Amino acid sequence: MAEKPKSVLLPVLAAVVFAGLGRMVVQKIKADRAVKDSNVAAPLDEKTRAWISDVVRTPRQ
């Protein structure tokens, strides 16, 4: 009896999925580190940045 040819598609597909998941994990770790280092809870718009800058620069009485 002749043996069935083995398909290469499944191992290649598994490798692609594994690589994609690994890439997503690395991106998530990098994003978490960037957020942790910046100490900013959310993206700031220009109005909020100007207000914070004004509050920080104005001397208290």
Side-chain angles (χ1 to χ4, degrees):
M1 289 188 135
E3 291 185 30
K4 283 187 173 180
K6 300 239 178 190
S7 175
V8 193
L9 180 63
L10 189 59
V12 169
L13 186 60
V16 168
V17 169
F18 186 73
L21 289 174
R23 183 171 176 251
M24 288 172 53
V25 168
V26 169
Q27 285 179 340
K28 175 68 173 153
I29 291 170
K30 285 182 180 179
D32 288 348
R33 285 182 182 168
V35 168
K36 183 180 172 185
D37 292 342
S38 69
N39 292 328
V40 176
L44 301 175
D45 61 349
E46 194 58 38
K47 182 180 175 186
T48 307
R49 286 179 190 266
W51 178 80
I52 292 172
S53 179
D54 185 45
V55 168
V56 170
R57 292 180 187 180
T58 306
R60 292 185 178 181
Q61 296 180 5

